[in-house]
Amino acid sequence: MVTLALGLIAGVAAAGPAAAEETRTVSYRGYQVTVPSDWAVVDLAADPTACVRFDRPAVYLGRSTAQANCPADAAGRSHGLVLEPLVTATPSTPGLLRRVVQDAGVLATAYYEPGAERAAADVLGTGRVVTKSRVAQVAQPAAVAPSIVATGTLKGEAFDACAAPPQATMDAWKPDFQGIGIYISGGVRRCDQPNLTPDWVTTNAGKGWQFLLIDVGLQAPCSTFSAEKKMSAVPATALVQGKTAAANAVAAAQALGFAPRSSIYSDIEHYTSTAACKAAVLSYASGWTQELHARGYQGGVYGSASSVGADFASAFTSTAYTRPDNLWFAHWGSTPVGTSRFVPATTWTNHERVHQYAGDVTETHGGVSMKIDRNYADLTAPPPPVTNFSVTGGSSAATLRWTKPAGITLGQIMIRTAVGSTPPPLVTSGTSVYNGTASLYTMTRLANSASYAFRAWVKDSTGKVSPGADVLLVGTKATATASGAWITYGGSVTVSTTVTRLDGGPLSGAPIVLYAKAKNATAYTAVATVTSDANGVAASVQKPGVSTHYQWGYNGAAGLLGTRSAVALVEVRPGISSYLTPAAIKLGASSNFYGYLTPPHQGTKAYLQRKSGTSWAAAGTGVLSANGKYSFVINPTAKGTYTYRVVWLADADHQGTQTPSKVLTVS
C-alpha cells in the first residue's frame, strides 16, 4: 500500500513486487523501471519548482526549467533516476549514466555516487518499454565552439546557487550581481542543471554576466562525506585523481562554450585537517591544476577558509605542489570582505580571490526569491596566447615565429620544448627554448632524426600566464646506400636514399641533397639535388675519382626538421695493368714485369711479390714514374715455375690494388 500511495501522489502508475517491500516498478510514458521501494517519486509536472536533488534516492519524472526550490549547498550525491521526455540524445558524464529509450521517447538518467556506476547500470538494466511512442528523430547535442572566458575581469558581487536559475531569474537579479557560480561537473554535484545549456551561457554572457565554473568531485580523505566520495589518502594516487577530474571538467566546460583561459574551481568541502589529509588534498589540487594548465585552463580551488584556505596558504611558496591560480574561500561574516584570518594578505594578491562571505541565505531581487551563497570576487583573466605560432625546420635547427597578443602589457614570451610529439604541459616541464619579447627565435643543435613539440606561453606584466600555443616540428630520417663498396677508377656507383617522416610515411616530392667529401677531406660539398619520388626514394649516379664519403641530407621545411643520413663510403681502387714478357725464359735470361697505375701516383712505391707456398714474399720495390709506370727485371737463379704479382698500397685517396698473378717458366 505504501508503494501505491507514493505512486498516486506522484501522478504516475506504480506496480511491481510490492509484497516484497523491497522494489517497485515505476512507469513513465510507456517505460517501466524497477527501483528500491524506499525511493521517493517526484512528478515535476505536478511540482515544477521541486529541486531535482542528486543527494537523495528518488525517481524524478519529467523536466522543469522553472525556478527550483533548491538548497544553497551544492555538494552531495546519492543514487536515483531522472526520467524525462527524449529531446536530445545527451551523453553520459561522470556521475550521470544515461540511456536513450527511443521506442518510448524517454531519456533515462541514473545518478550515482563515485564508484557506484555498476549499481546505476543495474537499475537502468531493469527498464523496459511497455507502450511504444517512438520519437521519429532525436537531436544530437550541437557542437559548440568554446568562445567565452570565465572569468574575465570581475570585481564585485556574485552569487552561487545549487542549480542554474531560469532566464527570468537571471534577468531579475542582474542589476544587483555581476557574476554567478555554476556547477558544471563532478560526481558529487548535488543538483540537476536543466537550465544550464550552451544557449543559456551565451545569452547571459551577452547580458554581461561573468561565470565562476565549479566542479564538485572527490572530497578530502578526512571529510565527513562517505568513503566512496573521498579522494585517495595516498598523495600520488590523489594527484592522478585530480588530473582525471580536471579532464572531465574541461570537457564539461567546453560543451557549454567556455574557452581556454577560463578558470575552473574544484569544490573541496570543509574537513578537519591532519598532515596526511592535507598532503592528499594538496596533491589532488596539484593534479587538478596541472591538467587544467596542460589544456589551457586556469586552476582554482573552492573551500572553507579554515581548511582549504589555511592548508593552501601554508603551502603557498612550496615547490612540492602546483599552486592553484585562484582561491575561492568561504568565511561567512569575515570582514572586510575579501579577507580571512586564515588566508594571509600576501597570498593570491594578483586579482586571484573570491570570498564567499555569506551563505545559505534566501534573497529576493527583482521580485524573485532564491536561496544562495553570496560572494565578492576580485578576478582578472590571464592574457591571451600567442597566435600564428609556426616552426620551420632546417638542418639541426628550427626557426620559431609567433604574433604577440595585442592589448596587454607584455612581460615575456616563454617557449619550451620536448622531444617527441607531445609538448611540455607546464612552464616548468620540458626544456627551455626562449624567454624574451621578440617574435622570432632560431633554435640550433637539434638532434638528427627527432621530432620536437613546442609550447609557447605569454606572461603579462602582472605575472599571469596565458594558455599554451603549440606547434610540432616533425622529424625526418634518411638512409644511405651505395651500389658497391668499391669501384675501379673511372667507374661509377649509384648512391640512393629513402627519406621518411617520423610521424609515418615517406617524404615525397622533396628536394634531397647528396653531399660528398673525399676520404681525407674535412668538409662536405653538395654534388646533386634529387626530388624524392612517391616512396621517398632518391638516387644519383656518381663517378668519384678518389675514395669518397657520401651523405644524403634533407634541409627541412615548414613543420619538418631536416635530417642527415649515415655515411656511405665508396672506395676507389686505381686501375692497374700488368705485362710479363717473355713469360718463358732459359736459365740465365731475364723477363720484364711492368705496367701502369691509373691515376698515376708518381713517386709512390710498387712492390713485386713472388708466391712461396701459400704466402707471398717480397721480390722487389720500384717507384712509379710520372705516367704511373712500374717495371721490374726478373732473373731467377734456378729452373722452375714462378708466380709473381705487383702490389700498390692504399694512400689517403685510394684503396690499395694489385695485379693479377703472372706465371714465369724458367727452363
Side-chain angles (χ1 to χ4, degrees), residues 260-530:
R261 298 173 63 208
S262 297
S263 184
I264 310 177
Y265 296 83
S266 177
D267 183 334
I268 302 175
E269 295 293 321
H270 178 75
Y271 56 90
T272 302
S273 187
T274 64
C277 189
K278 173 182 174 180
V281 171
L282 292 176
S283 292
Y284 180 89
S286 289
W288 166 265
T289 304
Q290 289 171 17
E291 188 66 22
L292 288 175
H293 284 179
R295 295 170 183 264
Y297 289 75
Q298 296 283 287
V301 173
Y302 163 86
S304 167
S306 62
S307 54
V308 164
D311 280 353
F312 281 81
S314 71
F316 187 80
T317 60
S318 172
T319 58
Y321 303 101
T322 301
R323 184 173 68 234
D325 302 287
N326 298 335
L327 180 67
W328 184 353
F329 59 89
H331 193 162
W332 299 351
S334 177
T335 57
V337 172
T339 68
S340 168
R341 69 179 184 274
F342 299 105
V343 184
T346 55
T347 59
W348 290 280
T349 59
N350 189 18
H351 306 288
E352 299 163 327
R353 290 189 175 205
V354 182
H355 180 189
Q356 188 182 94
Y357 64 90
D360 199 24
V361 294
T362 299
E363 295 193 12
T364 302
H365 299 270
V368 179
S369 298
M370 184 168 43
K371 185 168 284 189
I372 63 164
D373 295 330
R374 252 190 184 268
N375 306 276
Y376 181 81
D378 181 7
L379 300 169
T380 56
V386 300
T387 54
N388 304 316
F389 191 33
S390 66
V391 60
T392 300
S395 175
S396 72
T399 298
L400 296 151
R401 295 178 175 84
W402 58 88
T403 301
K404 294 177 283 188
I408 69 164
T409 304
L410 179 65
Q412 62 179 337
I413 307 296
M414 303 179 294
I415 301 177
R416 300 183 76 87
T417 189
V419 175
S421 58
T422 302
L426 308 173
V427 295
T428 55
S429 56
T431 300
S432 178
V433 173
Y434 176 76
N435 289 281
T437 58
S439 297
L440 178 149
Y441 180 75
T442 297
M443 183 181 182
T444 59
R445 299 182 180 179
L446 299 183
N448 192 43
S449 300
S451 294
Y452 289 84
F454 298 88
R455 179 166 288 182
W457 295 268
V458 175
K459 180 185 284 187
D460 66 19
S461 59
T462 72
K464 289 198 171 184
V465 178
S466 75
D470 300 337
V471 69
L472 176 62
L473 182 65
V474 177
T476 55
K477 184 176 182 179
T479 62
T481 58
S483 58
W486 64 272
I487 60 171
T488 300
Y489 181 81
S492 62
V493 64
T494 300
V495 186
S496 58
T497 184
T498 300
V499 188
T500 54
R501 297 169 54 114
L502 295 190
D503 59 356
L507 181 67
S508 60
I512 313 300
V513 182
L514 179 62
Y515 297 93
K517 77 175 182 71
K519 187 176 179 181
N520 66 338
T522 57
Y524 281 94
T525 58
V527 295
T529 299
V530 183

Side-chain angles (χ1 to χ4, degrees), residues 78 104 112 117 150 216 254 294 343 373 397 432 443 536 574 645 655 657:
S78 182
Y112 59 92
E117 183 174 2
V216 193
Q254 291 180 339
V343 184
D373 295 330
S432 178
M443 183 181 182
R645 71 181 183 184
Q655 192 178 28
T657 189

